[in-house]
Amino acid sequence: MPELPEVETVRRSLAPRLAGQEIQKVQVLRASAIAAPDVDVFTRLLPGQHFSATTARRGKYLLLGLESGGWLAVHLRMSGRLLLFEPPLPLDPSHLRVCFYLKEGSRLYFHDPRAFGRLWYIRPGTSLEEQIPALQRLGPEPEDLEVLHLEGALARRTIPIKVALLDQTLLAGLGNIYADEALFQAGIHPLTPANQLKRPNLERLIERIKWVLTSAVTAGGTTLRDYVDSQGSKGRYQEQLQVYGRFGQTCATCGTSIARLRLGGRSSHFCPSCQVFPRA
DNA sequence: CGGACAACCTGGTTGC
DNA sequence: TGCAACCAGGTTGTCC
């Protein structure tokens, strides 16, 4: 489900409501939802702790600060949701994976039908990178992305640019929806070998990536099916999608029928006229 | 190292 | 209607 804009929207909707709240009890309904430490340690160390006003996001990882100096880290993967509500539970209880009972009465729910999502408790004084190895391999945030970095990272990569954009070690936070949208806006065909893109094209691509992600954050993310923020509100960026999920519909720029192909196991949507495959 | 692909899970949609 | 096949916003591990 969530890419950078959705994770960021969850962070913003959660931060002010969670700050200062004390965890009274933690109930883990599916052990595999806890990546680290062991479930019994997780449920023992968190009660009594207070959420601080500090939250952060790195790529698609959401980081919730604790006053102890520790962190609760969350990756929503495909279908995860973090919701802060007063009881009763506003969701299908069969997909509830973790429940944090807060002292003031509300509850923080980790709800995840597909069960790919993961939570970590990072002890005070322990580095996030130590507990979450993927964090240290993460590429730059899109807002910090510079053309020289991208050019260097792609120099030996012959994979399609679309597949490269989904590689979180290259660039953190982009997923299938926004990769398709950014390539469309940059006029780049998704099959273009990554190392064939020259600097002007890369500059345009970077600019469009930043634009798409910023616009999507402003719109509160994209809700295709499941995604909602921590208050249950849907995003609105789906109204602005130009290619993703629009197979067979007309391109708003030129009227050509939007095409779809399978790349790296995922669907890619593009306009065959606006996004021209480079000639050898 | 780069690249292709299966695996992890569950539910919704499509097609016969 | 029933049921199999395929699809889904992500990441990781394995194999060549």
Side-chain angles (χ1 to χ4, degrees):
Chain A
M1 159 182 71
E3 307 180 30
L4 184 154
E6 290 73 35
V7 178
E8 179 63 19
T9 302
V10 170
R11 188 189 70 77
R12 293 182 185 186
S13 66
L14 203 49
R17 302 195 298 142
L18 209 48
Q21 297 247 24
E22 179 180 347
I23 299 169
Q24 194 168 53
K25 177 179 137 188
V26 179
Q27 189 175 16
V28 175
L29 294 103
R30 177 173 297 218
S32 62
I34 309 304
D38 292 343
V39 172
D40 57 328
V41 178
F42 186 91
T43 52
R44 185 161 42 82
L45 293 185
L46 279 165
Q49 298 217 40
H50 294 73
F51 286 102
S52 75
T54 302
T55 63
R57 181 193 53 70
R58 187 70 180 90
K60 299 170 192 170
Y61 289 83
L62 175 59
L63 309 170
L64 304 173
L66 299 162
E67 285 180 5
S68 63
W71 297 88
L72 179 64
V74 183
H75 198 303
L76 302 170
R77 292 282 184 99
M78 295 289 267
S79 63
R81 294 171 162 185
L82 269 185
L83 293 142
L84 182 59
F85 272 94
E86 304 273 334
L89 179 72
L91 305 156
D92 178 349
S94 67
H95 298 144
L96 185 61
R97 307 306 183 200
V98 184
C99 179
F100 298 86
Y101 296 76
L102 303 176
K103 195 175 180 185
E104 290 170 31
S106 58
R107 291 171 189 175
L108 178 66
Y109 300 107
F110 179 58
H111 186 262
D112 187 18
R114 290 185 69 178
F116 287 163
R118 294 290 183 268
L119 272 57
W120 295 256
Y121 168 56
I122 315 296
R123 294 177 179 80
T126 318
S127 75
L128 286 159
E129 289 78 9
E130 199 175 312
Q131 281 290 314
I132 312 177
L135 273 185
Q136 52 190 329
R137 298 194 303 270
L138 227 45
E141 290 294 313
E143 61 179 339
D144 300 325
L145 185 60
E146 291 175 17
V147 70
L148 287 179
H149 171 266
L150 195 58
E151 193 175 52
L154 295 179
R156 297 173 185 286
R157 311 295 300 272
T158 58
I159 52 172
I161 184 64
K162 164 63 188 293
V163 176
L165 291 180
L166 298 179
D167 180 351
Q168 301 297 299
T169 68
L170 198 73
L171 165 69
L174 213 57
N176 209 29
I177 296 179
Y178 302 112
D180 279 2
E181 294 298 308
L183 286 172
F184 170 77
Q185 292 191 17
I188 297 171
H189 194 290
L191 283 174
T192 309
N195 60 0
Q196 275 186 31
L197 287 168
K198 297 308 167 199
R199 200 170 295 181
N201 258 337
L202 290 177
E203 280 175 345
R204 174 157 178 75
L205 178 57
I206 289 172
E207 188 235 328
R208 291 291 93 192
I209 288 170
K210 293 177 181 177
W211 169 257
V212 165
L213 294 175
T214 303
S215 305
V217 169
T218 301
T222 298
T223 297
L224 296 178
R225 169 176 284 147
D226 299 325
Y227 168 73
V228 288
D229 72 12
S230 74
Q231 299 182 82
S233 301
K234 295 180 177 180
R236 297 176 309 283
Y237 195 76
Q238 61 276 10
E239 297 158 19
Q240 295 177 60
L241 295 176
Q242 295 180 284
V243 286
Y244 187 86
R246 299 193 68 243
F247 173 63
Q249 300 177 43
T250 55
C251 169
T253 303
C254 74
T256 302
S257 182
I258 300 297
R260 180 176 60 192
L261 55 82
R262 202 115 188 113
L263 257 183
R266 350 245 336 238
S267 288
S268 285
H269 312 72
F270 65 104
C271 171
S273 300
C274 298
Q275 296 167 265
V276 182
F277 192 74
R279 20 178 324 161

